[in-house]
Amino acid sequence: MMKRWHAVKRLLPLFAGLVLLLSACGRADLSALNPQGPVAEKQFGLMQLSIIIMTLVVIVVFAICFYVVVRYRRKPGQNDIPKQVEGSHKLEIIWTVIPIILLIILAVPTLKYVFAFAEDYSKDKEAVKVNVTSHQYWWEFEYPELGVRTAQDLVIPVGKKIAINLKTQDVLHSFWVPALAGKMDTNPEGNKNKMFFETAKENVYRGKCAELCGPSHAFMDFKVKAVSEATFTAWVSEMKAEPKPFVGDAAVGEKFKTSCLSCHAVENAGSLGPNLKGIGARESVGGILLNRDNADEAIDQGKLEKNLHDWIADPDKLKPGNKMHKIPLTDTELDQIVDYLANYKLDSLKTVNKQ
Ligand code: HEC
Ligand SMILES: [Cu+2]
């Protein structure tokens, strides 16, 4: 009795660890096990189907195994070799046919959905088209039919199919929003992958790069911001409007133009670095420095300013190997640039950001 208790006590940290580990599963904004849209739901259905079938197989096999071990164990005084069953047609047919039937049960819905998920909505008038371009280590989102470009936060309307066209600017990456759809590789131009998803729930979903792509791969996070259709329309017109002029000293504005806008854009143009239009309304800086901890809170202006400050002061420290280098700035220049960016808000996202 004492001994058994000791064993349990020794295993306690392991159990506690497992509980802690598993309790992190199932976040509605990050988990494939907590699907938030029809594509993810069907994919979750496939997972459940295979887990149920596999569990039944394990239970039956183990039950038979235990039964045989106990029922046919060697009895005291038993020295003869039991009846051998090798070459039994009956048994061989049973253990060939049952797995085939199970595989067919798995294969039919899997194949059906593989084709359904490959459906191309890029010509569908109702769908919102987005060209996703992955970069080491950030995400660019272009809405070709709307004439809008943004980065890091993919803003989508609820209830509409989002037709995604994937490509990479450099190495292979993989686009993954676990709560909305399975992952898909981003390939170089000429070999585009397509996918789609939708959600009915307004929320901020977390996305990840799911293909090891360099030293800062683990920091290549992004968000999908699902908003109402009205908010989305307002967001699009705001994104198409003229960029907000620099506030602060003219000389700092000039410095911002020459030192920062050589790589960044505040217009709807392609650029070497992420588009900075409306950066004060984003969920994060650099994809990883969160401006609020969850979507029911307001964007924390203090956090946002600190994040911008930390990022601009030393980007390589936060994301080793990224393509933005440390730029020599005076404190005044840094403060004014942070102030401009942190207050570059978007009215359309005000309620979404709970301001
Ligand atoms: C050599 C090109 C280059 C220059 C010059 C440059 N950046 Fe960047 N910047 C980048 C790249 C590339 C990224 C994306 C880094 C990543 O996440 O991997 C970035 C990211 C950022 C981000 C985060 C954007 C987001 O969506 O979260 C901010 C803010 C930023 N830069 C501000 C500045 C400011 C301010 C300056 C001028 C002082 C500047 N950058 C100069 C290339 C540049
Ligand atoms: Cu990556």
Side-chain angles (χ1 to χ4, degrees):
M1 191 58 204
M2 260 327 267
K3 262 199 184 142
R4 209 177 297 162
W5 173 235
H6 270 296
V8 172
K9 250 194 349 204
R10 225 182 294 155
L11 287 174
L12 248 145
L14 177 71
F15 290 136
L18 277 175
V19 167
L20 210 68
L21 197 73
L22 294 173
S23 61
C25 291
R27 286 183 65 124
D29 61 355
L30 182 66
S31 177
L33 306 180
N34 196 342
Q36 303 294 314
V39 172
E41 268 158 26
K42 285 173 192 143
Q43 290 169 338
F44 184 50
L46 288 178
M47 279 188 241
Q48 284 173 310
L49 178 69
S50 46
I51 287 171
I52 289 169
I53 291 180
M54 294 312 154
T55 310
L56 285 177
V57 169
V58 167
I59 290 173
V60 170
V61 168
F62 272 73
I64 294 175
C65 181
F66 268 113
Y67 174 76
V68 170
V69 166
V70 174
R71 171 78 177 76
Y72 297 105
R73 72 186 186 281
R74 189 173 173 186
K75 314 239 166 38
Q78 183 188 16
N79 286 318
D80 53 334
I81 293 173
K83 189 183 150 212
Q84 300 298 293
V85 292
E86 66 193 55
S88 159
H89 279 261
K90 201 166 97 191
L91 281 178
E92 283 183 3
I93 287 171
I94 290 174
W95 67 53
T96 309
V97 169
I98 292 177
I100 289 177
I101 293 172
L102 294 181
L103 285 181
I104 291 172
I105 296 174
L106 280 173
V108 170
T110 304
L111 281 175
K112 190 183 126 195
Y113 284 137
V114 163
F115 286 102
F117 296 147
E119 185 81 41
D120 182 3
Y121 286 97
S122 60
K123 302 276 181 307
D124 186 329
K125 282 200 184 63
E126 287 300 304
V128 174
K129 287 91 184 172
V130 184
N131 294 333
V132 173
T133 307
S134 55
H135 302 253
Q136 276 171 321
Y137 302 96
W138 60 282
W139 298 88
E140 181 181 355
F141 305 116
E142 182 198 2
Y143 301 67
E145 292 184 342
L146 305 171
V148 167
R149 241 175 231 269
T150 188
Q152 306 296 37
D153 285 9
L154 170 60
V155 180
I156 61 165
V158 291
K160 284 218 168 174
K161 289 222 163 54
I162 314 301
I164 304 268
N165 234 325
L166 296 161
K167 74 166 200 286
T168 179
Q169 193 63 35
D170 37 55
V171 301
L172 296 190
H173 303 269
S174 181
F175 179 83
W176 193 25
V177 190
L180 299 182
K183 56 189 96 157
M184 182 74 96
D185 273 12
T186 62
N187 294 329
E189 191 78 59
N191 187 13
K192 275 185 190 164
N193 272 334
K194 289 171 196 274
M195 65 183 284
F196 69 93
F197 54 73
E198 68 178 289
T199 179
K201 284 184 207 144
E202 290 179 35
N203 197 1
V204 179
Y205 301 100
R206 296 182 180 207
K208 297 246 167 216
C209 175
E211 176 92 59
L212 183 59
C213 57
S216 282
H217 158 69
F219 302 137
M220 199 169 151
D221 291 3
F222 62 99
K223 309 286 177 298
V224 175
K225 213 170 211 171
V227 301
S228 71
E229 234 178 286
T231 303
F232 183 73
T233 313
W235 176 77
V236 169
S237 47
E238 220 177 346
M239 289 298 284
K240 290 173 82 159
E242 287 295 305
K244 175 179 160 164
F246 191 82
V247 280
D249 303 344
V252 182
E254 196 51 39
K255 177 104 187 198
F256 177 67
K257 211 162 161 188
T258 50
S259 309
C260 312
L261 296 186
S262 49
C263 286
H264 292 283
V266 279
E267 290 93 26
N268 281 310
S271 48
L272 226 86
N275 195 295
L276 296 181
K277 191 166 210 169
I279 175 132
R282 284 195 195 150
E283 294 297 316
S284 66
V285 174
I288 42 166
L289 307 174
L290 299 181
N291 300 330
R292 58 173 164 181
D293 291 326
N294 55 65
D296 341 313
E297 295 165 13
I299 296 265
D300 184 332
Q301 195 64 13
K303 243 184 202 172
L304 167 65
E305 278 170 21
K306 181 177 185 305
N307 290 345
L308 282 166
H309 206 280
D310 290 352
W311 174 265
I312 298 164
D314 198 352
D316 205 57
K317 193 173 123 204
L318 297 164
K319 263 186 169 177
N322 91 84
K323 306 254 156 61
M324 173 168 162
H325 307 296
K326 196 167 162 172
I327 291 147
L329 296 170
T330 64
D331 285 352
T332 322
E333 285 167 344
L334 183 54
D335 287 348
Q336 289 196 7
I337 289 173
V338 166
D339 189 54
Y340 166 71
L341 294 174
N343 291 301
Y344 198 151
K345 302 283 182 193
L346 298 172
D347 285 340
S348 53
L349 296 181
K350 246 185 189 151
T351 51
V352 182
N353 291 338
K354 308 271 182 341
Q355 281 160 353

